[in-house]
């Protein structure tokens, strides 16, 4: 018997802690610069959903948390 748990994904929450914080933005910048980070949810990191993870996604995370 196996159990499958599906966690809801939140755009911007790249470390999966349930919150979108500046840490998530910094993690996106690290990813763009080639730093392999774990955990890193690439789907959540693509904040503008353009199928690319770029500095624009990090900026959008920072805009999300500044509101």
């Amino acid at each position: 018997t196996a159990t499958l748990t599906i966690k809801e994904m939140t755009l911007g929450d790249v470390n999966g802690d349930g919150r979108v914080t500046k840490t998530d933005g910094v993690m996106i910048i690290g990813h763009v610069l080639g730093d392999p980070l774990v955990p890193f949810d690439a789907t959540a990191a693509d904040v503008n959903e353009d199928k690319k993870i770029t500095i624009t996604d990090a900026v959008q995370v920072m805009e999300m948390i500044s509101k």
Side-chain angles (χ1 to χ4, degrees), residues 14 23-32 34-41:
V14 298
T23 300
D24 297 299
V26 171
M27 289 178 72
I28 293 172
I29 293 168
H31 176 82
V32 169
D35 187 11
L37 301 168
V38 177
F40 185 85
D41 185 336

Side-chain angles (χ1 to χ4, degrees), residues 40-51:
F40 185 85
D41 185 336
T43 303
D46 184 16
V47 179
N48 62 5
E49 300 180 287
D50 66 352
K51 309 289 186 234

Side-chain angles (χ1 to χ4, degrees), residues 6-67:
I6 299 174
K7 183 178 175 185
E8 188 175 320
M9 184 271 302
T10 301
L11 281 177
D13 181 20
V14 298
N15 63 4
D17 67 356
R19 301 173 300 145
V20 178
T21 65
K22 61 183 165 186
T23 300
D24 297 299
V26 171
M27 289 178 72
I28 293 172
I29 293 168
H31 176 82
V32 169
L33 296 175
D35 187 11
L37 301 168
V38 177
F40 185 85
D41 185 336
T43 303
D46 184 16
V47 179
N48 62 5
E49 300 180 287
D50 66 352
K51 309 289 186 234
K52 298 178 279 187
I53 301 171
T54 65
I55 196 70
T56 301
D57 298 297
V59 169
Q60 288 184 314
V61 166
M62 297 306 184
E63 288 174 349
M64 290 167 64
I65 63 174
S66 69
K67 293 180 181 182

